[in-house]
Amino acid sequence: MITKQSIQSILKIVLGNALLGLAYAKWMVPHTIINGGVTSLSLVIQKVIPVDLPVISNSLTVILLIVCGLFLGKSYLMKSIIGSLSYMSFFSLFYFLPFQLMIWLPIDFLLACVVIAIGYYCCLSEGSTTVGVDVLALIIHQRNPKRSVAKMIRNLNLSVLVLGFLTYGAKSVAIGFLFSVVYTWVLGKLLLWSVNQTDEIQETVEN
């Protein structure tokens, strides 16, 4: 049965992926910022395989979606299918649309950090993954709840930077490193705020 709450959850997941698709297509990719995520890995692969970026990114997303279904269960899988289809659609759409949002690298960097952190928050707070490296982070967190999802996403992103260094050079990797630190810090604050809000609501109901 479809409830108002489930519709709101789906809309929040779609919104999150729309923000992610926009930020990656219009800020991260044009500036070739290698932050270690799926899109960054796709940029690295594109250096070897001359295929449109969305094709590579979407293929990696499908592989991670399968991993999500195998390790995170049906609930995560169903919401992640919505998330992955949304992200693939929005990223491809914004990638091919002929408009630019780039202003100046420092401004674009800050905008990307905030928008991507909010996008991840919208998905993770509704029990959905963006079907990126967060899938692996959530699998680890499921087995060890003490491990911070935001910090694990950061570490997984950083692990891809070596490949980025070899293909795009030190500047792209240095900016990507800083980006990973900043946006996961913002994400961590948003997730902590969400937990505190939930606790406050629960205490109000109980009282």
Side-chain angles (χ1 to χ4, degrees):
M1 180 179 178
I2 299 177
T3 64
K4 181 180 178 180
Q5 186 176 2
S6 64
I7 292 174
Q8 290 176 338
S9 178
I10 290 171
L11 290 175
K12 191 174 178 181
I13 292 167
V14 172
L15 172 62
N17 281 283
L19 293 173
L20 290 168
L22 176 66
Y24 274 103
K26 293 304 181 182
W27 287 315
M28 301 295 285
V29 170
H31 284 298
T32 59
I33 298 175
I34 306 298
N35 74 307
V38 168
T39 306
S40 296
L41 185 57
S42 300
L43 281 168
V44 172
I45 294 173
Q46 191 184 42
K47 279 283 189 178
V48 181
I49 306 173
V51 179
D52 283 337
L53 189 65
V55 174
I56 300 171
S57 178
N58 294 346
S59 298
L60 291 175
T61 300
V62 170
I63 293 170
L64 286 168
L65 185 62
I66 294 171
V67 173
C68 175
L70 291 174
F71 292 96
L72 294 178
K74 184 178 178 181
S75 176
Y76 264 108
L77 177 62
M78 296 309 295
K79 289 185 177 181
S80 295
I81 287 174
I82 296 170
S84 62
L85 290 176
S86 298
Y87 178 76
M88 288 189 287
S89 299
F90 283 116
F91 177 76
S92 298
L93 174 65
F94 291 128
Y95 181 80
F96 288 114
L97 281 177
F99 71 90
Q100 293 186 12
L101 291 180
M102 291 187 294
I103 303 171
W104 180 44
L105 179 56
I107 294 175
D108 297 342
F109 175 88
L110 292 175
L111 288 172
C113 286
V114 173
V115 172
I116 287 174
I118 294 173
Y120 269 118
Y121 164 75
C122 288
C123 297
L124 294 173
S125 63
E126 293 302 322
S128 171
T129 78
T130 57
V131 195
V133 295
D134 58 318
V135 168
L136 304 178
L138 284 167
I139 291 172
I140 297 170
H141 177 72
Q142 190 179 68
R143 284 154 176 72
N144 187 356
K146 293 183 179 180
R147 300 288 295 275
S148 165
V149 173
K151 287 182 180 179
M152 282 187 289
I153 291 174
R154 179 190 303 169
N155 293 335
L156 289 167
N157 284 340
L158 296 178
S159 69
V160 182
L161 292 181
V162 174
L163 293 174
F165 175 79
L166 294 174
T167 52
Y168 286 96
K171 180 181 177 181
S172 291
V173 171
I175 297 173
F177 176 87
L178 183 59
F179 170 82
S180 293
V181 172
V182 174
Y183 102 82
T184 52
W185 179 84
V186 176
L187 174 61
K189 294 296 182 182
L190 288 172
L191 292 173
L192 181 60
W193 172 82
S194 179
V195 170
N196 291 336
Q197 289 291 106
T198 302
D199 290 342
E200 288 179 7
I201 293 172
Q202 187 173 356
E203 287 177 6
T204 302
V205 171
E206 289 175 352
N207 294 331

